[in-house]
Amino acid sequence: MEKEQSEYGLNENRRKFLSKVSLGIGSLALGSLLIPDLFKGKSGEDALMEALPHFAPKAKRVIYLFQNGAPSQLETFDYKPLLNQQVGQELPDSIRAGQRLTGMTAGQSSFPLVGSFFKFNQYGESRAWISEAFPYTSKVVDDICIIKSMHTEAINHDPALTFFQTGAQVGNRPSMGAWLSYGLGSENSNLPSFCVLLSRGKGNGQGVYSKLWTNGFLDSVHQGVQFSASEDPVLYLKDPKGMNREDRRRMLDKLAELNNLNYETFGDPEIQAKVQQYEMAFRMQTAVPEVTDIKSEPDSIIKMYGPDCLIPGTYAANCLLARKLSENGVRFVQLYHQGWDAHDNLPNQMVGQAKDVDQASAALITDLKQRGLLDETLVIWGGEFGRTNYCQGKIQVDNYGRDHHPRAFSIWMAGGGVKSGMVYGETDEFGYNIVENPVHVHDFQATILHLMGIDHERLTYKHLGRRYRLTDVHGKVVKDILV
Amino acid sequence: MPKNQKIFAILENSLIAINGLILILVIGQDHIQLPSFLEVVGRMHPLLLHFPIVMLFLAALLFWFPDALGVNSKNAMKWLLLSALFFTGITVLAGLFLSVEDGYVKEDFENHQWTGLLVFWLGTLWYWFWAKEKLSIAKGLSLVVLALVLATGHLGASLTHGEDFLFAPLKSDRALPQVSFEEALAFDHVIKPILDQKCISCHKAGKVKGELRMDEVQYILKGGETGPAIDMQDLENSQILIHILYPLEDEFHMPPKGKPQLSETELALIQSWILDSAHFEKKLTAYNLESEFIALAKEKFASQESKTYSFEAASTKTIAGLNNDYRKVMATYPDSPGLRVTFFGKNQFDPSTIDDLKKVKDQVVELNFQNMPLKDGDLQKIANYPNLEVLNLNFTGIEGNNLGELKNLKNLTHLSLSGNPLSEAAFESLKDFSQLKNLYVWTNKNTDAIASLKSQLPDTNIEGGFQDDGTLYQLNAPQIEFEKSIFTDKAEVTLKHPIGSVKIFYTLDNTMPDSSNHQLYSGPISLDKNTTLRARAFADGWLGSTEKQAVFFRSKIQPDSYKLTFPPSESYKGKGALTLFDLDKGDDDFFTGKWLGFQDTPFEIQMDFKSPQRIQNIAFSTLAAEGSYIFPPSKVEVWIKTQNTDWKLLDTQNPEQPTGNRDRILQMYETNINQSDVTAIKAKLTPVYPLPKWHPGAGNKGWVFIDEILIN
Amino acid sequence: MKLACFLSFCLITVVLSCNQKESKQLNLEIGEQISYNFHIRPILSDKCFACHGPDANKQEAGLRLDVEEAAYSALKESPGKFAIIPNDVNGSELYHRIVNTDPNELMPPPESNLSLTEEEIGLIKKWIEQGAKYEPHWAFVSPKKATLPKIKDEEWPRNEIDYFTLAKMNKLGLIPNDKAEKHELLKRVSLDLTGLPPTPEMISAFEKDNSPEAYEKALDKIINLPTFGEKMAVLWMDISRYSDSYGYQDDNIRTQWPYRDWVIHAFNKNIPYDQFITWQLAGDMLPNATKEQILATAFNRNHKYTEEGGVIPEEYRVEYVLDKSNTFSKGILGITMECAQCHDHKYDPISQKNFYEMFAFFNNTPEKGYEGDVSQSKPAKTPILWIEREDINELLSFINHQDTSKLMVSVMDELDTLRTTYILNRGLYDARTTPVSPNTPENIFPFPDNLPKNRLGLSQWTVDKNNPLTARVFVNLMWQEIFGVGIVKSTGDFGMQGDLPSHPELLDWLAVDFMENDWDVKRLLKKIMTSATYMQSSKVTKKHLNTDPDNVYLARSPRLRLPAENIRDLVLASSGLLVPEIGGPSVKPYQPEGLWEAATSGRGELKTYKQDQGEKLYRRGLYTFIKLTSPPPMPIIFDGSNRDQCEVNRGRTNTPLQALVMMNDPLVMEASRVLASQLTEKESEPETAIEEAFKRILCRAPNSKELDILSGYFEEELSRFSKDQSSADDLFKVGEYPIKEEKITPNTAAMMQVILAMYNLEEAITKI
């Protein structure tokens, strides 16, 4: 009888069971396999939403190396010799064309151009220009696609970050990772499908906000799980001292027994859902440490990423961790590295920041490549906007600052169906406006979804009477950079 | 049963009549003028046609299996066949009427018409021979008739439901080019699919809007009202081009507003194809690879590449059954029969479970075992998957001595063996894997093996990965851990480094530790006086690390009372003067409330001791962060008062001022006192004014920040 | 056999050559008369209005289907044809378009990714046949008390509510569950009204009391506990998006908590809802407003404020006003106006003009868009209400402020000269177009001329007895609080895209009754909680799962997992750790290390998490400090609001992370430890100790089976710890609450484990 009932609760009623009780199990455990079932009946789910992905995906997973605070394109990938020739000269109005400025430089009476403190060289088959601050990145230039024509709408950090991650400058919308978790579920049923890793450099930091990895109106199971640098990578994961696996196992068995007794009286399928969640938690407790354990990594890996990768909470460590999570089926790994907001003292700050990220980012590419995973993993490197071609405050050749510049900036993408060894888009000789192939943030997002096999116009969720999309009502896939 | 006979007679006669009528109509088809009431009859064609079909089949049925209906099948047969033919006749007539209406193009319904007519005529013969007991011929005819019925039905359906309505479901989506880029034709595989999707619904047989048909090349060239759809003489003015380029709002825009529009790529494709002289037969490969059309076409193929597999898909149930918490089995892409299998959780992995997959051995095209502990022996299990394309064996620990087992996997294109202790033999046998497109064999030391393999497999992309070429990398500095950097009598300090194996060298005398000058760290260091600790890490195979410094202060004596002459600035007032003696060192963030900030007034403090004190020195711990207008004080003055002497200025320092921006640093100004009977000390730190020229705030007031005063 | 095959074969051929679309027979299990509001508008709104709806700028083919006249009139683009001709399906182009097979004719067009189901088409067909009658949107018509419906079982109902619910049940052939056990009832009542479990004493007292009015007595007692306000406040904090920091990047601290104290106070004093709203919207504008009334207006200042250097002030000032209007419309009117911020609303008759007229009400404050960066940050922003000691001693006695310093709270104020409001093109702060003056959407309920066109007028408009929304929305919120789902499921959206009421007449009856009784909140709750519907047991039968899996028709009482805050409360209360102090500044209990540190910009007071000590560790969940950019993890894991914006209903998910919290959160372990010490000290018999703990945590006595299992577990753990004292010590040394034992015995350690297990039972954190 009980058996029959439980069968009943789980199957007959699976729609409700999966959707209301535990999208958790749903998208985590059954993943895309059962997505159609998942998508029925759920409050905001769209009856229209068909099985995902919509078409054969190029990338199975994403690793997003977010450079938080906005690295200057002019000291990284956008080589503008003219600025060095015209140091101190005014930014021509014809170029600025009355663009709005942040409150920080709006008051400035003059806008003296300033060139890169760092030398540039050309690398790889694409002959891409890369600044000397990124020696390691220049070594993998033939594996990446540099986009020099990104542009965004926001001019301040918070809205710009939020825009990049959620498709809207304000409001509590689901972030990209949450959308993908909702759309594709997790490959590995014992790990969260969306993980977040934080680190900070010495440069001027701007903070990150949990709303950047929020599930918004999606089910909380799609929220990014923030990994911490402590020995307990996932919150509350570690069993307390004095309780080993067997002890925990025994406790869970007792719980299951008691819960099932209760189920006999109340017949509520949610009781069994609960039991299953405890089982999954138990599995996570072994899976996560297994995956995050860096001791098992060979020395050569330590050398590739740099010895910092052994210090939890560093960017290098996070890159290594990102690879491990990703190769174990985590759909979306989001890194944030703070410290790029160089309003002053840019050359010094740039040296430090570049040192933090250059080697490890390049290592991540090489590492994925040598495992044959780069083809199916999309790696993204970039900030929330760019920096002005003119100096903020007083100019010195070896010491200047740059203000926020949403009009044009550079990022790079690699693997997962993106053309390698490509430079896309072009800015004017002042590095101020885009003159060729502009890529808007929504286009960027549409492209990522496309690579993951999703039509960004069809990944929707109905909330408070309206169908929402990551790309709002915009976004065009940037076909030119696809393999 | 005379009644019957009578009816039979009538039917037979009408049959002849109809035959005649039809004959006339067919001959004079092109000249018929129909009275409208006959048009109505014509339009009943689609309705009528159901009767004859059913009846003919029933008749045939009865004819072949007489006993099916039991008694007097002969009579029944006559009944059926006659009335069947009667209705066939009517239907054919109606059909002919209908055909006269415009909108229908002769070519399309001609076949349908003829087969239809044949059905009727041959049917009549069938009846005739049957009546004449010439059964053999009748049998033959009956079959032909049935076949024709089917044919006619099919053609009719195509006519109304579009080309090949019947078999459409069997063919996979026309939108996707099923051929590879290499074999694809510019028109048939790139352009036509677009036209089929977006145009022909209105420009086809039976629905010839603007007198234009686009379902076949000839019509496209022939064109419609406004001229040839594609004008070989004057490509720019091809009507297709003109119309698709009209703005959406324009009434001539095609496809019309509200209908599915051409995507940007599609539009670009059509445009570039036409301007590139609209080749109908040309192969894509024959195009100049620089041409825009090819670029776009390539992309189209790339984005639509979906393999077609020879094998059937496994049932969802089977697949679901194979999924569990540690094994994911799923289609490689939507509705692909091919399956990707991934194993997770090395501690839960059991090689024997591989065989569960036998159920889907044909479907498995991707196998991922990375990090799962495998034995070489397990490889032959894997050899059982004939359609395997991608195999990931990274870090499975195999030596690959019997990799050969896999060489017969003809479809295997990706093989990942990275991180395994591959044996000589393994590399040997890899040389036979010419089917591979990509091979990943990264391990620490196999440079030569890889090199020779590359020469053996020229067409395979072999990824050797990161090779430790012996370049020495620099270690990272050790970490210095301690409670507080200011202590009253003792401080314990521990040194750590993430790489366990390193040696940590340190000095306590503010000298750079190196191979010659150092103490080797063995355990916690305890300090009892002001100390600068400097430490570096060393290890074989690495360059010595950069140094890590920490400064420790002892503050033995605390004044019994103290008072600031001027209050600190509102925004940086910490816990007031108390802040200076709480032994809580501030870091380089001056918002924390551990710092006192002074700008308009100097920092000036008097410290009193109830009982005379023996004091060696006093030190002021300050911050310099020029970027934030925080400078070393322009002047540091210290006065003391002893039991028997009154205030006297003991020391004046003028700290060196920076000449440019630098990172924030903590600075210490120390004054030696060395007196035994001090009762009070007064100190004054004066902020810089004006700020130097190089500074953004040149001319303004600078700040002084102080967090601790240490007396020993 | 052969015959059969043959015949079927023939049929196939027939179908093939048939060019008529075979229209499938559909079976509608809905009632005879089709209702526009209940059957048709949901379809049209969802699938058609986007292009043929209220948005004047996007009416394809000049057709709009949301208003009768337009839908009936001749089609602009194909003269002579009509979208809808009442009673004439074939004459109605609309029908032909939705059944068309030609993708170019078909509506909705394929590329919209929308499509109609067979059933939807059938409904529309039937509706047209029945005369295609339009009705005004139900929620925009003021509610009327309907007469109580006829029901089969006159015995069952305990008050009016039950007539409505039972009638529905009868329709579906459902019978209400039996009455719940007494202990279940008390747990339910106590959790619903105070968010705390009943003490064993309360339970046994209630179980002993067999007087007919026992239940009502208990109810009255509980609803008058001061903890009532705390429970209600949780909901209101979500609505008023309360937080203890400014949000945005540097996210510095602010002191809005006195407002929270007021909300608790207001609910406890049972201030009528109309007044409650009036004060929060316009307390400052009331004739000689008291500081309490002004404090209430902090409601409109709880949203985020930027302290990011270099922002453009106006951009953010506009953002703030937007938040105010959105919160007002979503939280109090239950309609979402956001959409109208950029363009006319696609689904509801709310134009962009309407939106900015509403916006105008809140656009007249002296508030600044930017008051300097974090280095100049103050705990409140202009306009500021200063609260002196004497205020607290007198009028504002409900504010729990321990030390002597003055308090500052951000509140509302009016400019003397009216700031002109403009329609902002695409919602962009710098894209001003036509000026508008304060007004409310005429389609909801026109703004009476006699009212002043300012916030005060707005508040009067809001609580006007003829306002169709306010009462309905609040009544629905309360229903949601108790039954988990509102009568209207989409609590925040009573508009056309929102869900339809499951019991429309009941909703209206409650709303009217609520207003007739002077918006008396406690009375409303009692009404609901004295209904037989509420008092049913929550047993789930196959029948239930068959006919009503989501329990829309309430033939059983719902089993609901507790909201995040109350899970914490339950753990604290049952273990005796709870510090019952009410109100005061937010507290910082245990939190996993490094969360704030990892996310901070390195500036501001909140860059590091300075955990509190002592009593502050054991306050109710309501008081947990909320830093917007890094909200406390436990509540978030349990679907709590991140307070980023107004929220009216939380999800109720069930995830592995929740299991991890209950197993490993130091608080739960500490609670188990403390309770274990208490009990082992008091009871020598483990069995009795277990029973006692069970009663405290699950609010009932364990049955013999359960007792066996738990004692079994106890024995196992006991023997384990007797062998391995160190594990016992390790486990026991959790939390800062002083350990009484001079020596940790295997006994107590084992008991701790058993209790921990109890906390991890599904039932423990479930309202049954």
Side-chain angles (χ1 to χ4, degrees), chain A residues 1 4-5 8-9 12-13 16 20-22 24-25 28 43 48 100-104 155-159 169-172 198 200 204-211 213-214 219-221 223 225-226 228 230 234-244 247-248 250-252 254-255 257-259 261-262 264-271 273-274 277-278 280-282 284-285 338 404 455 457-458 462-467, chain C residues 46-47 113-115 184 248-250 304 308-312 315-316 319 330 336 339 347 429 489 492-493 497 538-540 542 545-546 549-550 556 559 561 592-595 597-603 628-631 633-634 636-637 639 642 644-645 647 652-666 669 700 703 705-706 709-710 712-713 716-717 720-721 727 730-731 753 756-757 760-763 765 768:
Chain A
M1 174 56 196
E4 185 188 344
Q5 263 208 3
Y8 185 83
E12 232 46 36
N13 200 29
K16 163 176 178 264
K20 174 155 161 291
V21 183
S22 58
I25 302 182
L28 276 163
S43 55
L48 315 159
R100 68 174 183 164
L101 306 171
T102 75
M104 279 167 289
I155 195 168
N156 299 100
H157 295 287
D158 185 305
Q169 292 190 43
V170 293
N172 192 26
L198 308 180
R200 49 212 312 242
N204 180 23
Q206 289 306 347
V208 285
Y209 340 108
S210 65
K211 76 172 173 191
W213 51 92
T214 179
D219 241 317
S220 66
V221 64
Q223 184 178 49
V225 172
Q226 180 188 338
S228 72
S230 74
V234 171
L235 300 184
Y236 309 108
L237 183 78
K238 207 147 155 286
D239 283 330
K241 264 179 109 221
M243 183 156 216
N244 59 30
D247 305 326
R248 177 62 79 197
R250 281 189 299 110
M251 179 188 257
L252 290 196
K254 301 291 180 210
L255 286 177
E257 258 186 278
L258 290 161
N259 282 327
L261 276 179
N262 202 23
E264 283 171 22
T265 4
F266 284 97
D268 187 339
E270 305 201 15
I271 300 176
K274 185 68 129 208
Q277 290 309 301
Y278 271 76
M280 195 182 300
F282 184 77
M284 268 180 81
Q285 289 184 300
Q338 285 197 57
H404 307 165
D455 172 351
E457 294 186 349
R458 273 148 72 202
K462 196 168 146 200
H463 171 63
L464 288 179
R466 172 179 164 197
R467 279 193 185 73
Chain C
D46 195 28
K47 308 283 176 72
N113 299 321
L114 294 163
S115 64
E184 292 174 352
Y248 294 110
Q249 69 174 20
D250 289 319
K304 300 186 290 180
E308 176 172 346
V311 298
I312 298 162
E315 182 174 11
Y316 280 86
E319 193 49 51
K330 183 175 171 188
T336 46
C339 314
Y347 310 104
Y429 72 98
K489 193 159 169 248
D493 184 9
Q497 280 288 83
S538 58
K539 290 204 171 57
V540 185
K542 273 192 172 181
L545 292 173
N546 266 330
D550 294 336
R556 63 183 188 271
R559 290 175 92 265
R561 197 208 69 218
E593 274 175 20
L595 290 179
E597 292 72 8
T600 180
S601 67
R603 290 182 290 277
L628 278 174
T629 57
S630 182
M634 183 276 189
I636 296 296
I637 289 174
D639 306 307
N642 66 2
D644 196 82
Q645 52 180 222
E647 281 197 24
R652 201 178 286 105
T653 59
N654 172 10
T655 71
L657 296 183
Q658 293 170 0
L660 289 173
V661 173
M662 292 314 286
M663 292 191 289
N664 293 336
D665 181 346
M669 292 193 283
R700 67 176 173 90
N703 62 40
K705 275 193 198 151
E706 290 166 327
I709 299 172
L710 288 167
Y713 184 46
E716 287 174 23
E717 291 298 271
R720 170 183 156 217
F721 291 128
S727 301
D730 291 336
L731 276 172
Q753 290 300 88
L756 183 60
N760 278 275
L761 287 171
E762 188 268 355
E763 184 183 349
I765 56 170
I768 58 170

Side-chain angles (χ1 to χ4, degrees), chain B residues 474-478 497 512 535-538 543-548:
Chain B
Q474 185 172 43
L475 275 177
N476 48 344
H497 194 282
M512 171 70 84
R536 290 175 67 196
F538 294 84
L543 296 175
S545 78
T546 52
E547 73 162 329
K548 185 70 166 255

Side-chain angles (χ1 to χ4, degrees), chain B residues 306-342:
Chain B
S306 49
K307 275 246 204 44
T308 44
Y309 289 110
S310 50
F311 49 84
E312 289 299 306
S315 81
T316 339
K317 200 153 159 304
T318 323
I319 297 174
L322 287 169
N323 270 283
N324 63 38
D325 303 322
Y326 298 103
R327 181 174 59 204
K328 179 87 166 183
V329 182
M330 64 183 300
T332 47
Y333 54 83
D335 21 271
S336 149
L339 296 177
R340 174 168 72 243
V341 181
T342 318

Side-chain angles (χ1 to χ4, degrees), chain B residues 192-206:
Chain B
K192 190 162 187 303
I194 304 177
L195 304 183
D196 291 351
Q197 263 186 327
K198 304 283 173 82
C199 312
I200 62 164
S201 57
C202 298
H203 300 289
K204 62 169 186 208

Side-chain angles (χ1 to χ4, degrees), chain B residues 84 472 519 525 531 539 548 553:
Chain B
L472 294 183
Q519 310 178 43
I525 313 163
T531 316
K548 185 70 166 255
F553 305 104

Side-chain angles (χ1 to χ4, degrees), chain B residues 245-267:
Chain B
L245 289 176
Y246 276 124
L248 180 60
E249 304 313 321
D250 191 299
E251 60 169 313
F252 298 114
H253 171 85
M254 284 292 150
K257 195 172 171 207
K259 315 253 163 174
Q261 290 298 312
L262 292 171
S263 76
E264 304 216 349
T265 339
E266 289 170 335
L267 196 145

Side-chain angles (χ1 to χ4, degrees), chain A residues 110-124:
Chain A
S110 100
F111 302 102
L113 299 172
V114 58
S116 167
F117 172 81
F118 302 93
K119 297 189 184 41
F120 276 73
N121 291 307
Q122 285 182 291
Y123 300 91

Side-chain angles (χ1 to χ4, degrees), chain C residues 307-324:
Chain C
E307 290 184 335
E308 176 172 346
V311 298
I312 298 162
E314 181 63 6
E315 182 174 11
Y316 280 86
R317 199 192 63 76
V318 167
E319 193 49 51
Y320 303 154
V321 183
L322 286 173
D323 190 309
K324 292 176 174 64

